[in-house]
Amino acid sequence: MRRPKARDFLAALLIAGAATAFVNLPLFAGWRAASLDVLFWLRHQGIERFQPVPPSPTVVIALDEETYRRKPFEDLPYAMWTPQLAGVLNAVQDAGAAAIGIDVIFSTTMERFVPGYERDYLVALRRGARAGKLVLAKVQHDREPVAPFAGQRVAVGGRNIRAVNLIRDPDDVIRSVPLLFDAGGGQREPAFALDVAARAIGREAQATADGRVSFGDWTIPGSADNAMILNFRGGADVPAYSFADLHACAEAGNADYFRRAFAGKVVLVGVVLGVEDIKLTSKRLMTAAAGAGGGERCVHPPMTDLLRDDVVRETIPGVMVHATAINNLLERRVLRHPPGALVTGTEGAMALLAVVVGSLLSPVWAAGLLAIVALAWVVAATTALQAMLVLPLATPLMAMALSFVVLLGYRFGVADRDKRLLRASFGLYVAPALVNRLIDAETPPVLGGETREITVFFSDIEGFTTLSQSLSPEATVALMNEYLTAMTECIERHGGMVDKFIGDAIVAMFGAPLADPDHAGNAVRAVLDCAARLTQLNGTPAFGGLVLRQRIGINTGPALVGNVGSRGRFNYTAMGDAVNLASRLEGANKFYGSSCMVSESTVAATGNIFAWRELDTVQVLGRSQGV
């Protein structure tokens, strides 16, 4: 784990703050809005698919493509369907529907051409309006609204005509519905969906003193902004009944069917076609296949060519948007946004987490940990949506990712540059283990050392002086580079550190600077590895066809290890009797014709894992007793 400096923590805080401010720019407003669409899809895939679909309080009578294909509608213009609609409306009212909303605006009439043509429809409208159960639709405009023709307005009265306008976000996606509209004279009237839902429970919806909107004994969450977030379910969650089938059913007098389908339900009449009154909503990632969600049939079987599983549109009919709003109100499944300060705080916390993790860990480990955090946040936001709370999904993840990327750039360009320079500068002169230790210490090396038990390795090439005299300087350097490279690889492969090269000699230590409880055993393994490697290289082109012999001395014992030298220049090395003895044993090889001599202390430290041949007891220069 890294130990950042104070400047690094200050830089991390600045990066986190800047990332939080950046993701709150208006540039990312669309991302924030689209997060809700993704959350709906995640909830649908992770939760709803494994739960039974609850019955919908609202059903739709669909003026659909099937209606256009069946008689008598296929030969009639759309504006002449009102007599047939009257029969269906009467049957629905007889069945005990809780409320009826007609999301179809007949702005023209056949009355001027065929007097009495609309009579049955007007009577059906008046019946529902007097019972307080029926609402007609209009479209609010700045000047004149698009409203039903005058006869229908008279039949239902002005209080039973409500606006069906919807709220479109800047990306043209519908994610919420308005609740109240200005009715003139300082008065406000409920929107179509709110009024139909209120009639279903026999209560009025109205503005409260604090500017919110009440629905019965309940205040709608988020209504202070005069809007309600639509809480879409995935798939075909609102049953749709083909108008053509219901017309045939009403003519057949099948009252039992209407009671089963519509008793206690909110019934909406609307156009359900792929080309008319279609809306792009936050349900766009989880819509159903064409023809799905049809209600129980009464007379006509479904047209099979319309039930296509391979056609899934992003859009849904406008009447389904109102059906969703009504269901949200009746089921009290209205979403709410957290306070803006909480959203900003969440983004800041995620950004801060990214820079802290990125400062302490390596980039790979930090990225892995942040990926887990991101996944956990996605799960948390999806779970919160199920609890009617819309947590921000995109912007916290964006703040986290942006902070992490910028921090990596800071580390590469500033924080870690000194370490890279140190590693690059000294990596060719000092053992990598020592370089890493210096870097991890984050303090400049100073004079001093400690006494530690280590195993010291000394090696030399037999007859090197004579050999070098027979070679050119260039050939000598090339030979030594090959030899020293191969031997160094063997030493470092077993955890040793090359202290220095003295001509053809190699001085190395095991057990320092990094502690190694098996330093003696690893030193012996390195010797065997060096011998095997030298055998491979002898006589090869790498050695110019030459055959080299080496002498090695190894000793285990306490030694002073650390930075030794002058205040201006020093080296990490080992000093003491243990080092001197290893050097003397290397030289003693020449008297016994051996290639490696190991002290009794090294043999004792390695146990019985190697086979040994005892040579002699030797009294080396500087020692009063033999070893």
Side-chain angles (χ1 to χ4, degrees), residues 426-435 454-459 484 487-489 491-492 495-503 505-513 559-565 569-576 578-580 582-583:
F426 294 100
L428 297 177
Y429 299 93
V430 183
L434 180 56
V435 176
I454 62 172
T455 298
V456 183
F457 173 110
F458 264 81
S459 76
L484 295 176
M487 297 304 105
T488 300
E489 289 174 353
I491 293 169
E492 292 184 346
M497 180 198 117
V498 174
D499 180 359
K500 60 180 70 71
F501 301 116
I502 308 174
I506 301 174
V507 183
M509 66 182 82
F510 292 79
L560 177 67
V561 295
N563 296 315
V564 178
R569 183 172 182 178
F570 48 80
N571 183 35
Y572 189 90
T573 187
M575 301 175 64
V579 180
N580 179 64
S583 173

Side-chain angles (χ1 to χ4, degrees), residues 1-2 356-366 369 411:
M1 180 179 292
R2 295 179 69 250
V356 169
V357 170
S359 297
L360 297 178
L361 301 180
S362 69
V364 174
W365 281 101
L369 180 58
R411 280 185 57 178

Side-chain angles (χ1 to χ4, degrees), residues 32-82:
R32 289 191 289 272
S35 293
L36 181 60
D37 310 352
V38 178
L39 281 174
F40 280 138
W41 179 82
L42 289 170
R43 184 182 67 179
H44 177 60
Q45 297 295 327
I47 299 176
E48 290 180 347
R49 290 180 58 184
F50 305 100
Q51 296 177 343
V53 180
S56 171
T58 304
V59 297
V60 171
I61 296 176
L63 309 184
D64 55 1
E65 188 172 347
E66 178 181 341
T67 303
Y68 277 91
R69 292 189 186 185
R70 294 195 186 275
K71 291 184 177 300
F73 305 102
E74 64 176 348
D75 298 325
L76 287 176
Y78 172 71
M80 298 180 67
W81 292 4
T82 50

Side-chain angles (χ1 to χ4, degrees), residues 302-518:
M303 291 183 172
T304 55
D305 61 322
L306 299 179
L307 304 178
R308 298 184 58 185
D309 293 334
D310 60 333
V311 178
V312 180
R313 299 183 178 91
E314 290 184 327
T315 55
I316 61 174
V319 67
M320 292 298 181
V321 178
H322 295 293
T324 298
I326 294 169
N327 283 350
N328 292 166
L329 290 166
L330 296 179
E331 297 172 339
R332 297 195 175 184
R333 294 182 65 252
V334 176
L335 299 173
R336 66 188 188 281
H337 284 296
L342 180 60
V343 173
T344 304
T346 301
E347 296 163 347
M350 297 285 273
L352 186 61
L353 175 65
V355 295
V356 169
V357 170
S359 297
L360 297 178
L361 301 180
S362 69
V364 174
W365 281 101
L369 180 58
L370 292 179
I372 295 174
V373 172
L375 179 61
W377 179 251
V378 171
V379 173
T382 305
T383 305
L385 186 69
Q386 185 73 354
M388 308 301 133
L389 179 63
V390 182
L391 293 179
L393 179 65
T395 49
L397 298 181
M398 289 170 56
M400 184 174 70
L402 180 61
S403 299
F404 182 60
V405 170
V406 174
L407 182 79
L408 289 184
Y410 168 79
R411 280 185 57 178
F412 182 81
V414 180
D416 293 346
R417 187 170 69 175
D418 294 342
K419 295 181 180 181
R420 292 196 308 275
L421 179 61
L422 184 62
R423 185 176 282 111
S425 300
F426 294 100
L428 297 177
Y429 299 93
V430 183
L434 180 56
V435 176
N436 291 332
R437 181 179 177 183
L438 294 173
I439 291 173
D440 292 339
E442 294 191 345
T443 57
V446 296
L447 292 173
E450 59 178 330
T451 299
R452 182 187 298 186
E453 183 172 284
I454 62 172
T455 298
V456 183
F457 173 110
F458 264 81
S459 76
D460 202 353
I461 295 178
E462 181 179 316
F464 177 72
T465 301
T466 302
L467 177 67
S468 62
Q469 291 176 351
S470 65
L471 299 174
S472 66
E474 293 79 7
T476 302
V477 171
L479 175 63
M480 283 298 95
N481 287 343
E482 290 291 338
Y483 168 76
L484 295 176
T485 297
M487 297 304 105
T488 300
E489 289 174 353
C490 295
I491 293 169
E492 292 184 346
R493 183 158 48 239
H494 296 280
M497 180 198 117
V498 174
D499 180 359
K500 60 180 70 71
F501 301 116
I502 308 174
D504 61 314
I506 301 174
V507 183
M509 66 182 82
F510 292 79
L514 300 179
D516 179 8
D518 191 26

